[in-house]
Amino acid sequence: MTDNIPLQPVRQKKRMDSRPRAGCCEWLRCCGGGEPRPRTVWLGHPEKRDQRYPRNVINNQKYNFFTFLPGVLFNQFKYFFNLYFLLLACSQFVPEMRLGALYTYWVPLGFVLAVTVIREAVEEIRCYVRDREVNCQVYSRLTARGTVKVKSSNIQVGDLIIVEKNQRVPADMIFLRTSEKNGSCFLRTDQLDGETDWKLRLPVACTQRLPTAADLLQIRSYVYAEEPNIDIHNFVGTFTREDSDPPISESLSIENTLWAGTVIASGTVVGVVLYSGRELRSVMNTSNPRSKIGLFDLEVNCLTKILFGALVVVSLVMVALQHFAGRWYLQIIRFLLLFSNIIPISLRVNLDMGKIVYSWVIRRDSKIPGTVVRSSTIPEQLGRISYLLTDKTGTLTQNEMVFKRLHLGTVAYGLDSMDEVQSHIFSIYTQQSQDPPAQKGPTLTTKVRRTMSSRVHEAVKAIALCHNVTPVYESNGVTDQAEAEKQYEDSCRVYQASSPDEVALVQWTESVGLTLVGRDQSSMQLRTPGDQILNFTILQIFPFTYESKRMGIIVRDESTGEITFYMKGADVVMAGIVQYNDWLEEECGNMAREGLRVLVVAKKSLAEEQYQDFEARYVQAKLSVHDRSLKVATVIESLEMEMELLCLTGVEDQLQADVRPTLETLRNAGIKADAAGTWKISAPAPKPTQQPRPSKVWMLTGDKLETATCTAKNAHLVTRNQDIHVFRLVTNRSEAHLELNAFRRKHDCALVISGDSLEVCLKYYEYEFMELACQCPAVVCCRCTPTQKAQIVRLLQERTGKLTCAVGDGGNDVSMIQESDCGVGVEGKEGKQASLAADFSITQFKHLGRLLMVHGRNSYKRSAALSQFVIHRSLCISTMQAVFSSVFYFASVPLYQGFLIIGYSTIYTMFPVFSLVLDKDVKSEVAMLYPELYKDLLKGRPLSYKTFLIWVLISIYQGSTIMYGALLLFESEFVHIVAISFTSLILTELLMVALTIQTWHWLMTVAELLSLACYIASLVFLHEFIDVYFIATLSFLWKVSVITLVSCLPLYVLKYLRRRFSPPSYSKLTS
């Protein structure tokens, strides 16, 4: 590539994807729901509705009672493979085409369809039971006649519903009342947004003040709400009470909502239903994931098409050798039926059953406990991953925050000096309690210490007040809950918040002497080292959002009446809010390079008149229905000026256990990981003469640049002496062009880029950026949105054609996991949403190594051997049929009829062939010790055109040998040909299974002996096809032995010579 990248527009590829891209609103219109509109909902009067609302029914089933069988059959026969066998079976009803008994074609097809129908039925029944359990949950509804019980499916918009503690919220509701004394409640939202931390919700103030819940039906009030949409983090509405004088109006936001699927964690609540059924936020956010079809299945399908081509060619050749005499077109059809075994109908069943076995083995592996296989159709994908993308927080790290650093500008306190902070806090409150008389001429040391103590005190007090943490008191078996809450028992207190960072900060203030002991909707209590309780009134709270990157709180000190505005946030936004200083940027960078999450804490004192003016403007902005967020943000920003910088806090998110050894294992397997995110496995170059390009790594995280880079270094993904190019922020095409040219001149350095710059580069220079990025040893992408994560996965798939695997643990990783070819969810601090959306679920990141190196490798190699052996089994008998027909003047007469043709692929050979799913070339310990074995799978050698051709040649050789041998050695009757050839065929298949097996399992031996015993025992009942007296003669035995020996011995010799002079890589480790 030249120094100047040509300014060419990006040609976007159209993605052929089965995932529906239409919005939920379009879906509602298609389903007859009409255009979603804002609504007015009267409390307790569902009959007063201005539009029709859907029933509150959850339905995740694909079929109903009437559409199940037609739907399943249609989904099966829309594929050529099954349709082909259906046409074959139906052709046997035509007398001119019939070749044998009907059951020889209908029984195998019926068995395949029965397995599919049973599997689908089990899934549908499970889904029905889950849906029925949810729809039949009973709730209490407030009516004029009192409280009545109602099923979840019968709840309507406008109903007043009572939800108890630990009960699921049945519909999207507005929070009206709570039994909690603090006037708020907590929600568990892990099944909605993937976060395990509890969320604080506030009731409507007007309804909370009512004496009883029954009074809700006595007032004339309504809720005006926005139209249904998919945004679970925002809501705009108003509450109006008309029968008061003057009428009362309150603004409603996300803090007043109870979304369906969440669980009440404290108290009993009453809410009015706003949305139901398909208009629920949780339902509208549930998109049908992309139907994942494994690369292995596509390859097998390709081989099936080749076999069909061979079937047609052989049939045409047979008719051509007859010189197309007579009704030759009927002869073609008869030959197509005669050689139909070329395409094995049992192939799909064997592979599907094999996948079930692989999934069972993964779940039962004691070394990766808790692993769940949620998609049993793609276990082979795990053995061929080329790109591995991972989230950072909670996936590579523990998401357990530990307070590490307090920086005041001139002095910093680490873990080893926290006792000094504690002494400062103790001295401040000790002096306040003692209040000693003023001394004359205090010394300089006393002044300096008092100044430093006050600075530390202000910083600690700000951290203890500026948060959204609530202390919850639980019974510990000795003290009951009420007594513990009254006495502020330390042993019974648990902190709950929406972020683990905030809990870590509040726990730290407790450790240094300033403890948060109480909080409700309007007040907060702190306890000093001298057990004095400090009371603060909460005037306003401005919660953290991803757009603002900061949170604030306005409190009034009850003892002094002072009003203070505290704020904390990211340095990028706080730098323009605090007063000028010369140390903020430098120290933030230093702490971030240590891997710490940095927050800037500031404060501003407000006069009473200043606050009253702000409050009036703020309330007016919150009542706006249009552009509410913009108006509220504008009012808040009027306060965010010239704030006093108090301190910086540094919190560390520690790495998970064994992350470094796991990454080292992946690196040795060809996944050279030098940054946390996506590992590019060494793949073969496009041209045979080129060397494989070095492996690449991409890191996808929402964290800031310095923290993400430091985490990558801590995990040994980016070496400490490796050059790192920080891609500067670009906003347009020209800037991106210049920066890409600057980056191109650097060699062998890691790339660090922000999500905004990445978006600009992909918009204008997608090809050029990907070409440059693929030459880097590591790419770290910071400030990545969930949409960008999915976009990167899609881009890698389109540009490279390689398999991708995404690993994440939070709700923001779901889109990336579903977009990838193989999604792995980690059950962590952020909940189970990623785990539930993934194809495979693990409990720790370190389990990923064994999942790929052992189970992925075994699944792929076993399926490759199984599929090729099933094809070999079918080609053998088809070759024998071709030889038989050609010898007897190209007659379309079947060699084997009736039970012989069915028994061949079922009871006589099914168990030994299927036992290949238990085979393995090396022990799991060896596969983990030598992850380099994983590299061989990336080239697709276990199942390739080369191996397929080898098995075809083996089949032709063995089928011809057996058939010609039987024709040469038979003496008088045709039935002797059948006996000799069929017995030799069965023995050959059993010996070939033994030849293929690399590690014997006791079940394999049982399968071989059982199949042989079944065949010998069944000979007594096969007198219609086989001469029972002939098989008991010595002549039969030596003829079968000779034919079987000639068909198998050369292959055993070739296998020995190959292992002797050109052994595979794994054989060196097992010798």
Side-chain angles (χ1 to χ4, degrees):
M1 193 167 66
T2 59
D3 286 350
N4 291 315
I5 301 173
L7 295 175
Q8 296 178 351
V10 173
R11 295 183 295 276
Q12 299 289 346
K13 292 184 180 180
K14 183 177 180 181
R15 179 172 173 81
M16 301 302 292
D17 202 346
S18 59
R19 177 179 300 185
R21 301 292 180 188
C24 292
C25 295
E26 296 180 13
W27 176 68
L28 286 175
R29 289 197 294 272
C30 295
C31 293
E35 184 76 28
R37 305 194 308 270
R39 60 191 58 188
T40 300
V41 179
W42 292 85
L43 268 63
H45 297 283
E47 69 279 359
K48 292 184 179 180
R49 51 188 175 194
D50 52 1
Q51 54 183 295
R52 293 187 61 186
Y53 303 119
R55 291 186 62 213
N56 193 46
V57 175
I58 301 299
N59 183 11
N60 293 308
Q61 295 173 248
K62 293 186 290 184
Y63 313 101
N64 58 37
F65 180 80
F66 299 101
T67 63
F68 172 74
L69 194 58
V72 172
L73 293 178
F74 172 78
N75 285 330
Q76 288 301 306
F77 291 128
K78 70 180 180 181
Y79 296 107
F80 171 77
F81 190 84
N82 290 331
L83 182 61
Y84 165 73
F85 286 107
L86 176 65
L87 295 175
L88 286 184
C90 290
S91 68
Q92 295 304 289
F93 290 109
V94 181
E96 290 84 355
M97 299 180 184
R98 182 174 297 179
L99 295 176
L102 286 176
Y103 68 85
T104 60
Y105 288 90
W106 281 101
V107 168
L109 180 61
F111 177 74
V112 172
L113 293 179
V115 171
T116 302
V117 170
I118 292 173
R119 185 179 61 187
E120 289 287 339
V122 170
E123 289 296 324
E124 283 295 287
I125 291 172
R126 288 177 179 173
C127 193
Y128 169 77
V129 171
R130 289 195 299 265
D131 291 344
R132 188 172 182 273
E133 182 181 351
V134 173
N135 292 326
C136 291
Q137 286 185 350
V138 177
Y139 294 85
S140 298
R141 178 170 62 190
L142 280 178
T143 65
R145 301 187 305 274
T147 302
V148 297
K149 299 296 183 181
V150 60
K151 290 183 179 180
S152 174
S153 57
N154 295 330
I155 291 175
Q156 303 179 48
V157 172
D159 282 344
L160 296 175
I161 303 298
I162 300 174
V163 187
E164 305 287 343
K165 181 179 179 181
N166 294 325
Q167 199 172 20
R168 184 187 68 89
V169 179
D172 289 350
M173 303 194 301
I174 291 297
F175 186 14
L176 300 179
R177 289 181 60 82
T178 178
S179 61
E180 293 289 278
K181 291 186 296 183
N182 58 12
S184 63
C185 84
F186 281 101
L187 286 181
R188 294 201 300 267
T189 64
D190 55 320
Q191 298 305 315
L192 182 66
D193 58 11
E195 298 178 358
T196 55
D197 299 296
W198 292 3
K199 305 295 190 303
L200 183 69
R201 290 294 182 261
L202 307 175
V204 177
C206 175
T207 54
Q208 179 67 20
R209 288 194 295 265
L210 295 176
T212 63
D215 293 328
L216 291 170
L217 295 167
Q218 308 303 320
I219 63 175
R220 180 176 172 81
S221 56
Y222 64 86
V223 173
Y224 178 79
E226 62 184 355
E227 68 277 1
N229 61 70
I230 65 174
D231 191 354
I232 63 174
H233 300 294
N234 293 288
F235 174 76
V236 176
T238 57
F239 173 87
T240 303
R241 180 177 179 182
E242 290 187 337
D243 58 352
S244 63
D245 189 20
I248 298 174
S249 290
E250 292 186 35
S251 66
L252 301 177
S253 66
I254 187 65
E255 292 182 337
N256 308 113
T257 60
L258 304 171
W259 295 145
T262 59
V263 177
I264 303 299
S266 62
T268 301
V269 304
V270 181
V272 59
V273 177
L274 276 189
Y275 309 113
S276 60
R278 60 174 179 266
E279 294 179 345
L280 297 176
R281 289 291 208 271
S282 57
V283 173
M284 298 178 77
N285 273 280
T286 305
S287 60
N288 294 323
R290 181 166 61 96
S291 181
K292 297 182 180 181
I293 300 176
L295 177 61
F296 177 82
D297 294 321
L298 295 176
E299 291 172 343
V300 170
N301 189 51
C302 181
L303 297 181
T304 305
K305 293 177 181 178
I306 295 175
L307 292 174
F308 177 74
L311 169 63
V312 174
V313 169
V314 171
S315 301
L316 289 174
V317 168
M318 286 294 180
V319 176
L321 292 174
Q322 292 179 337
H323 306 291
F324 295 97
R327 301 168 69 180
W328 58 270
Y329 48 88
L330 283 179
Q331 288 296 317
I332 290 179
I333 296 176
R334 287 180 62 88
F335 275 118
L336 286 174
L337 295 170
L338 201 59
F339 297 129
S340 61
N341 283 322
I342 290 179
I343 304 176
I345 191 173
S346 60
L347 177 60
R348 187 75 270 156
V349 176
N350 276 277
L351 291 179
D352 287 346
M353 293 175 65
K355 294 174 190 289
I356 295 174
V357 172
Y358 307 149
S359 302
W360 182 82
V361 171
I362 292 174
R363 289 194 296 266
R364 293 293 300 269
D365 191 345
S366 60
K367 295 187 178 179
I368 48 174
T371 301
V372 179
V373 180
R374 304 192 187 278
S375 178
S376 61
T377 59
I378 55 172
E380 299 92 354
Q381 301 277 74
L382 293 171
R384 307 180 68 182
I385 299 300
S386 294
Y387 285 89
L388 185 62
L389 304 97
T390 181
D391 178 42
K392 182 183 76 69
T393 305
T395 304
L396 295 180
T397 59
Q398 298 179 22
N399 203 16
E400 292 183 356
M401 307 303 169
V402 179
F403 191 93
K404 290 284 189 177
R405 185 73 53 84
L406 177 70
H407 206 298
L408 302 179
T410 57
V411 62
Y413 298 96
L415 287 178
D416 55 348
S417 55
M418 289 303 172
D419 55 337
E420 296 183 28
V421 178
Q422 191 173 7
S423 66
H424 285 305
I425 299 298
F426 183 80
S427 65
I428 284 289
Y429 288 105
T430 301
Q431 292 172 8
Q432 288 179 358
S433 61
Q434 294 177 353
D435 194 18
Q439 300 177 0
K440 291 185 179 181
T443 63
L444 181 62
T445 304
T446 305
K447 283 186 176 181
V448 171
R449 177 166 181 81
R450 186 169 299 172
T451 303
M452 182 56 63
S453 296
S454 62
R455 289 179 60 192
V456 171
H457 169 248
E458 284 297 327
V460 174
K461 186 169 75 170
I463 297 171
L465 290 172
C466 186
H467 53 72
N468 213 354
V469 181
T470 300
V472 178
Y473 292 87
E474 300 175 349
S475 173
N476 62 358
V478 179
T479 308
D480 63 16
Q481 183 174 345
E483 184 66 22
E485 190 170 351
K486 183 178 179 180
Q487 300 296 330
Y488 297 139
E489 288 284 346
D490 290 342
S491 60
C492 303
R493 184 171 52 250
V494 178
Y495 293 118
Q496 292 295 343
S498 59
S499 169
D501 299 62
E502 291 204 316
V503 174
L505 292 173
V506 173
Q507 288 174 338
W508 174 78
T509 63
E510 178 183 0
S511 69
V512 296
L514 205 55
T515 306
L516 174 69
V517 293
R519 180 176 184 153
D520 56 28
Q521 189 174 345
S522 59
S523 65
M524 198 183 310
Q525 292 78 39
L526 301 180
R527 185 171 63 194
T528 68
D531 287 336
Q532 177 187 359
I533 302 299
L534 306 179
N535 292 290
F536 296 87
T537 301
I538 301 175
L539 302 178
Q540 300 291 345
I541 295 180
F542 315 117
F544 172 87
T545 64
Y546 288 105
E547 291 78 19
S548 66
K549 295 183 176 63
R550 58 189 182 275
M551 72 88 58
I553 187 172
I554 301 177
V555 298
R556 186 199 306 271
D557 191 336
E558 290 297 316
S559 61
T560 63
E562 294 180 354
I563 300 176
T564 308
F565 174 33
Y566 292 105
M567 176 168 282
K568 67 181 179 185
D571 60 305
V572 290
V573 295
M574 294 296 290
I577 294 175
V578 300
Q579 297 170 349
Y580 172 77
N581 61 86
D582 57 358
W583 60 273
L584 175 61
E585 182 178 357
E586 180 182 358
E587 294 303 332
C588 283
N590 292 337
M591 293 172 67
R593 279 187 286 274
E594 296 179 27
L596 304 180
R597 292 189 178 193
V598 183
L599 285 177
V600 180
V601 184
K603 78 166 188 174
K604 184 177 185 178
S605 297
L606 302 178
E608 184 69 35
E609 300 79 11
Q610 187 179 4
Y611 172 71
Q612 294 299 335
D613 174 65
F614 165 79
E615 184 183 32
R617 292 184 289 117
Y618 185 64
V619 171
Q620 187 65 31
K622 287 178 67 177
L623 287 174
S624 302
V625 176
H626 302 290
D627 297 326
R628 177 189 292 181
S629 299
L630 179 61
K631 293 177 181 178
V632 169
T634 303
V635 174
I636 296 176
E637 287 174 3
S638 65
L639 278 184
E640 299 173 342
M641 295 183 296
E642 294 297 312
M643 297 188 70
E644 178 187 353
L645 175 59
L646 296 178
C647 65
L648 305 180
T649 63
V651 178
E652 183 184 48
D653 191 1
Q654 297 178 333
L655 289 176
Q656 285 199 17
D658 295 333
V659 164
R660 290 170 183 164
T662 301
L663 298 181
E664 183 67 24
T665 298
L666 298 176
R667 184 183 297 115
N668 293 334
I671 314 171
K672 292 189 177 179
D674 294 305
T678 305
W679 296 275
K680 170 67 172 67
I681 302 177
S682 300
K687 297 180 181 179
T689 56
Q690 296 177 344
Q691 293 297 323
R693 293 183 299 179
S695 298
K696 310 302 181 295
V697 181
W698 295 63
M699 176 184 197
L700 312 180
T701 177
D703 245 332
K704 65 183 301 180
L705 182 147
E706 293 85 357
T707 307
T709 305
C710 186
T711 301
K713 289 185 175 181
N714 289 342
H716 293 174
L717 298 175
V718 176
T719 58
R720 296 188 180 275
N721 58 355
Q722 194 170 45
D723 292 334
I724 298 178
H725 175 80
V726 179
F727 203 93
R728 70 181 181 86
L729 184 64
V730 296
T731 57
N732 54 54
R733 183 172 179 171
S734 299
E735 292 178 354
H737 173 241
L738 295 174
E739 188 65 17
L740 283 171
N741 279 331
F743 174 53
R744 192 209 63 81
R745 297 184 182 94
K746 297 189 176 182
H747 300 283
D748 193 33
C749 70
L751 172 65
V752 179
I753 186 171
S754 67
D756 295 334
S757 299
L758 177 66
E759 187 173 357
V760 174
C761 291
L762 295 180
K763 181 178 180 181
Y764 296 110
Y765 301 109
E766 182 181 291
Y767 176 80
E768 290 82 358
F769 175 79
M770 289 299 295
E771 183 179 3
L772 287 173
C774 286
Q775 298 172 6
C776 301
V779 178
V780 179
C781 184
C782 312
R783 302 300 191 190
C784 237
T785 65
T787 305
Q788 283 180 323
K789 291 182 178 182
Q791 181 186 7
I792 291 173
V793 175
R794 193 179 309 122
L795 190 64
L796 289 172
Q797 291 169 338
E798 293 173 352
R799 289 290 176 181
T800 65
K802 302 294 183 180
L803 294 185
T804 59
C805 175
V807 187
D809 71 315
N812 60 336
D813 301 317
V814 169
S815 56
M816 172 180 72
I817 287 173
Q818 291 183 339
E819 189 67 39
S820 65
D821 297 293
C822 183
V824 178
V826 181
E827 292 187 14
K829 291 286 183 178
E830 295 187 35
K832 295 184 178 181
Q833 190 171 2
S835 169
L836 294 173
D839 304 303
F840 302 89
S841 172
I842 57 179
T843 56
Q844 297 183 58
F845 181 81
K846 66 179 182 180
H847 294 165
L848 184 65
R850 186 174 179 86
L851 189 65
L852 296 179
M853 300 300 108
V854 177
H855 296 290
R857 184 174 182 274
N858 286 343
S859 298
Y860 176 45
K861 290 182 72 71
R862 288 167 175 173
S863 286
L866 178 63
S867 60
Q868 293 177 124
F869 206 95
V870 172
I871 292 174
H872 160 265
R873 182 177 64 185
S874 299
L875 284 177
C876 269
I877 196 170
S878 298
T879 302
M880 294 172 64
Q881 178 66 57
V883 172
F884 176 79
S885 296
S886 62
V887 168
F888 290 92
Y889 307 101
F890 310 106
S892 55
V893 177
L895 171 61
Y896 305 122
Q897 296 187 9
F899 185 78
L900 289 183
I901 198 69
I902 295 178
Y904 170 66
S905 57
T906 54
I907 62 172
Y908 296 152
T909 61
M910 180 177 67
F911 296 114
V913 172
F914 186 71
S915 69
L916 291 174
V917 300
L918 302 174
D919 192 21
K920 55 184 177 181
D921 53 358
V922 295
K923 294 181 179 179
S924 57
E925 294 79 9
V926 175
M928 289 296 295
L929 188 61
Y930 299 97
E932 294 82 2
L933 294 171
Y934 193 87
K935 292 182 182 180
D936 295 338
L937 307 185
L938 302 177
K939 301 173 183 178
R941 289 175 177 172
L943 181 66
S944 62
Y945 290 119
K946 178 182 176 181
T947 58
F948 173 69
L949 180 60
I950 291 174
W951 277 103
V952 168
L953 295 176
I954 291 174
S955 303
I956 294 174
Y957 165 74
Q958 291 184 325
S960 302
T961 300
I962 295 172
M963 196 65 243
Y964 279 118
L967 291 171
L968 289 173
L969 297 179
F970 96 102
E971 296 174 353
S972 55
E973 300 181 18
F974 171 76
V975 72
H976 292 175
I977 297 179
V978 175
I980 294 173
S981 62
F982 193 76
T983 305
S984 300
L985 179 62
I986 298 298
L987 293 177
T988 297
E989 288 301 315
L990 297 181
L991 289 174
M992 284 300 295
V993 170
L995 175 66
T996 305
I997 292 174
Q998 301 175 69
T999 303
W1000 281 87
H1001 189 279
W1002 67 270
L1003 285 175
M1004 295 175 174
T1005 306
V1006 171
E1008 291 265 332
L1009 296 177
L1010 180 63
S1011 297
L1012 184 60
C1014 287
Y1015 177 65
I1016 295 174
S1018 66
L1019 290 177
V1020 180
F1021 307 100
L1022 298 178
H1023 54 82
E1024 182 181 352
F1025 312 105
I1026 296 177
D1027 185 351
V1028 180
Y1029 297 103
F1030 173 69
I1031 61 175
T1033 62
L1034 187 62
S1035 174
F1036 169 79
L1037 294 177
W1038 77 260
K1039 291 176 181 179
V1040 169
S1041 301
V1042 169
I1043 294 174
T1044 305
L1045 195 64
V1046 173
S1047 67
C1048 294
L1049 184 60
L1051 298 178
Y1052 272 85
V1053 173
L1054 289 175
K1055 179 181 180 181
Y1056 170 78
L1057 294 176
R1058 183 170 179 267
R1059 291 182 65 91
R1060 181 72 174 81
F1061 298 104
S1062 180
S1065 56
Y1066 62 83
S1067 65
K1068 302 173 184 177
L1069 303 176
T1070 56
S1071 59

